[in-house]
Amino acid sequence: MKKLPTVLLCGGLFCAASQAAEPVNQVAVLTHHQAQQLVEKAEQIIGSHHIGGAIAVVDPFGQLIAYERLDGATLANSELAPKKAHSAAAFGVPTSSFQQKIAAGNVGMLGNPVVVPLPGGEPVKVNGVVVGAIGVSTPDGNVDAEAAQGALSALKAG
């Protein structure tokens, strides 16, 4: 009877050792440093328009990594930036695409509380995999889109 547990224990150790020797798949992540680069680039773009706003960067699960509230940001800007980022991460598409789909008649999307049909949310992808997203909210939707899209260039350059 005492031999059986010893055999199982040794068998378990052998299995654990053999699994540890297998190669581990590397999963890309969005680091805090990269999130800060996104925020800084978006802030530069917003600043060139001389307006206030808010910028949020989230991980692929919509959890906040970095956030910046600029001078002149409204309550709406402060709340919308993280929501735009979360929406872009959840669906892996720019939030402006929801606006286009709704304008084309797909009003059912409005029933999904994660959908934010406003420009300024962009997914951050590495090799086609969403690793996070950026959300920008200012008083001007065109600036939101410009800053969010422009911020992505900070990662490509760095």
Side-chain angles (χ1 to χ4, degrees):
M1 285 266 189
K2 291 185 180 184
K3 289 183 182 182
L4 183 58
T6 305
V7 170
L8 290 176
L9 177 62
C10 291
L13 290 175
F14 176 73
C15 290
S18 67
Q19 287 178 354
E22 292 179 20
V24 177
N25 290 335
Q26 296 292 329
V27 178
V29 296
L30 185 61
T31 66
H32 182 263
H33 177 71
Q34 291 169 320
Q36 285 301 124
Q37 289 178 310
L38 290 167
V39 168
E40 289 169 11
K41 182 65 176 178
E43 187 174 354
Q44 287 174 359
I45 294 168
I46 293 168
S48 73
H49 291 278
H50 308 289
I51 57 176
I55 307 156
V57 178
V58 300
D59 68 13
F61 306 105
Q63 299 299 308
L64 202 57
I65 299 173
Y67 176 83
E68 189 71 33
R69 182 187 176 278
L70 308 176
D71 291 342
T74 66
L75 175 61
N77 298 146
S78 299
E79 291 187 5
L80 281 172
K83 289 179 182 180
K84 288 180 182 184
H86 182 266
S87 186
F91 293 98
V93 297
T95 54
S96 61
S97 69
F98 302 130
Q99 189 178 40
Q100 295 163 357
K101 290 175 184 175
I102 291 166
N106 188 354
V107 294
M109 296 190 85
L110 293 171
N112 187 330
V114 179
V115 170
V116 179
L118 301 168
E122 293 286 334
V124 177
K125 296 181 180 182
V126 174
N127 297 325
V129 177
V130 175
V131 296
I134 183 168
V136 176
S137 182
T138 72
D140 184 336
N142 292 326
V143 173
D144 297 358
E146 179 187 347
Q149 292 166 1
L152 297 177
S153 70
L155 295 184
K156 292 178 181 142

